[in-house]
Amino acid sequence: MSSFKRWILAISLAFGCLFLGCLIASVPARTAYANENYGPTDDAPNASDDRTAPSTGGFQLSFDGEDGNLSATVRILLILTVISLAPAILVLLTSFTRIIIVLHFVRIALGTQTAPPNQVMMGLALFLTMFIMWPTFTQINENAIQPLDAGEITQEQAFDEAVIPIRNFMYGQTQEKDLNLFCDIAEITYDDYDDVPLRVLIPSFVLSELRTAFIIGFLIYIPFIVIDMVVSSVLMAMGMMMLPPTTISLPFKILLFVMADGWDLIIGSLVKTFY
């Protein structure tokens, strides 16, 4: 199965689970509503009562009260939506994009094909992302999640507090020309970064990450291209034109990478680009 088909299958399963969760969650939500207002006794309204009984069919998006807290059904809906969008949030709003692209450039420049394997590269990129984003995640937990769990703020206030650390991180990594590009397309003018909406900031940040990752990848390629050129010239001078140059240059590239402590240099320099 191709990667495109796997993505389509994963998205379909995510939305299927979301729809099923909404249907399941609507039943206990309506039961809790009825028990809270009328109780489990015979005092519940019938057809002759003046009071209107809550609807027993359909999906209701309502609030629990006047304090602005969402009902349990809507909370489950939002949680499932965030879970389904978690891969896109992880890839596009963190340092994951730059890290995984640079690691792929390293493997291609070395010419080792599948070493390190994709699972190792994805795991390394994930843990490096957690290391880099840990201060941001800590601020979100302290300013948004814990106060919301304690009932000190509403969901809207928690969302606003959670967005602030993410915006600050993206501001530090977004190049001004990329931000101006999308502001010109959206016909938006700003005096301060706080005036830039997320719909403009996010694509600007992603574009800056792609540019930075490709610049780092080009710098990684240079020493390995020199080795390929030297090996090719030597083989041609010896008349061994039928021997693929990559077969001879691969051990030399691995030797250079090991002697220069390449992983330490690349990972250390890559992480420092975010500080």
Side-chain angles (χ1 to χ4, degrees):
M1 185 183 295
S2 62
S3 59
F4 176 75
K5 292 181 179 179
R6 287 197 297 267
W7 273 104
I8 294 297
L9 179 60
I11 294 174
S12 301
L13 290 175
F15 278 98
C17 293
L18 175 63
F19 179 72
L20 181 60
C22 293
L23 292 179
I24 296 175
S26 62
V27 176
R30 291 194 300 268
T31 305
Y33 181 86
N35 293 336
E36 178 182 357
N37 289 274
Y38 306 108
T41 61
D42 296 334
D43 295 334
N46 50 38
S48 61
D49 290 340
D50 295 331
R51 294 174 296 179
T52 302
S55 175
T56 58
F59 176 70
Q60 297 179 350
L61 296 179
S62 61
F63 290 90
D64 286 339
E66 299 178 354
D67 55 352
N69 291 324
L70 296 174
S71 63
T73 304
V74 180
R75 291 181 184 178
I76 295 176
L77 174 63
L78 293 178
I79 291 175
L80 292 176
T81 302
V82 171
I83 292 175
S84 63
L85 297 177
I89 296 174
L90 175 64
V91 171
L92 298 181
L93 302 185
T94 64
S95 58
F96 185 86
T97 301
R98 185 188 306 183
I99 294 173
I100 195 64
I101 291 177
V102 171
L103 292 179
H104 274 284
F105 269 117
V106 172
R107 188 173 67 179
I108 296 174
L110 283 172
T112 54
Q113 302 298 326
T114 58
N118 291 331
Q119 293 84 351
V120 175
M121 296 182 64
M122 294 291 290
L124 178 60
L126 179 61
F127 279 100
L128 288 177
T129 301
M130 293 177 60
F131 175 80
I132 294 170
M133 300 296 298
W134 192 257
T136 303
F137 293 156
T138 302
Q139 294 180 22
I140 295 175
N141 180 54
E142 294 177 352
N143 300 334
I145 298 179
Q146 292 183 1
L148 177 63
D149 186 62
E152 300 175 358
I153 58 177
T154 62
Q155 285 85 359
E156 292 81 2
Q157 294 173 340
F159 176 78
D160 294 337
E161 291 293 334
V163 168
I164 294 176
I166 296 293
R167 290 177 65 97
N168 292 336
F169 172 78
M170 290 191 293
Y171 286 153
Q173 306 300 326
T174 304
Q175 300 184 15
E176 187 174 357
K177 59 181 178 181
D178 296 328
L179 188 61
N180 293 333
L181 171 64
F182 284 95
C183 286
D184 293 339
I185 296 175
E187 298 181 353
I188 294 176
T189 58
Y190 65 94
D191 298 328
D192 195 329
Y193 280 140
D194 294 334
D195 300 333
V196 180
L198 283 177
R199 64 184 178 88
V200 175
L201 179 60
I202 292 176
S204 304
F205 168 74
V206 175
L207 184 59
S208 298
E209 289 293 284
L210 292 175
R211 177 182 290 105
T212 304
F214 272 73
I215 293 174
I216 298 175
F218 170 76
L219 297 177
I220 293 173
Y221 251 101
I222 293 177
F224 300 108
I225 289 179
V226 172
I227 294 178
D228 288 333
M229 294 175 61
V230 171
V231 171
S232 299
S233 300
V234 172
L235 292 178
M236 291 185 64
M238 297 174 62
M240 303 173 64
M241 293 178 292
M242 300 300 295
L243 182 63
T246 55
T247 304
I248 306 300
S249 63
L250 179 59
F252 290 99
K253 290 191 288 187
I254 296 177
L255 178 63
L256 173 65
F257 193 74
V258 172
M259 292 182 61
D261 199 3
W263 287 116
D264 183 77
L265 291 175
I266 291 175
I267 298 300
S269 302
L270 180 60
V271 172
K272 290 179 182 178
T273 58
F274 293 95
Y275 294 95

